[in-house]
């Protein structure tokens, strides 16, 4: 017959492992609340767009795309030029959607929003068009 101390050994090890896992999860949670290495674009129900920012992506695996992909965000957080001071007299358009609109892996000037702007620019004298696409955007968003 096994003694009580021999029966408690596996439970001690298991309880210590559970304690250790809980402590690690809590420390990670506290640490990630202090410093979040994963920037988030959405806080609650509000989008936080980065402004006046340029991202450069080095393409090493996608054939047919530029080696260096440049993504620029203007003063309002969209891709495209800043609105003119006389925007009331411009034809204005903003494209909204998910990853196919955002065109993250296409460099500036090659997105379909840019192509649309070029096409409309031939028909209208003054046009301002911006790309408000966000990767992962859904119909709910």
């Amino acid at each position: 017959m096994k003694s009580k101390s021999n029966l408690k050994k596996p439970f001690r090890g298991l309880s210590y492992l559970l304690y250790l896992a809980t402590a690690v999860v809590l420390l990670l949670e506290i640490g990630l609340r202090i410093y979040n290495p994963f920037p988030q674009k959405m806080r609650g129900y509000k989008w936080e767009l980065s402004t006046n920012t340029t991202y450069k992506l080095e393409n090493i695996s996608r054939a047919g795309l530029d080696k260096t992909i440049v993504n620029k965000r203007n003063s309002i957080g969209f891709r495209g030029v800043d609105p003119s001071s006389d925007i009331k007299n411009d034809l204005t358009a903003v494209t909204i959607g998910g990853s196919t609109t955002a065109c993250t892996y296409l460099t500036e000037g090659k997105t379909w929003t840019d192509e649309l702007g070029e096409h409309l620019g031939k028909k209208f004298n003054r046009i301002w068009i911006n790309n408000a696409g966000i990767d992962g955007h859904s119909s709910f968003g």
Side-chain angles (χ1 to χ4, degrees), residues 86-102:
D86 191 27
I87 196 167
K88 290 181 181 178
N89 294 320
D90 294 347
L91 169 66
T92 59
V94 177
T95 57
I96 299 170
S99 57
T100 54
T101 303

Side-chain angles (χ1 to χ4, degrees), residues 103-119:
C103 298
T104 303
Y105 292 105
L106 295 178
T107 198
E108 292 301 310
K110 294 186 176 181
T111 68
W112 73 263
T113 302
D114 296 322
E115 297 286 329
L116 178 62
E118 275 185 44
H119 180 72

Side-chain angles (χ1 to χ4, degrees), residues 5 16 37 45-47 96 114 130 133:
S5 64
Y16 178 72
Y45 289 105
K46 294 187 177 190
W47 286 98
I96 299 170
D114 296 322
N130 264 199

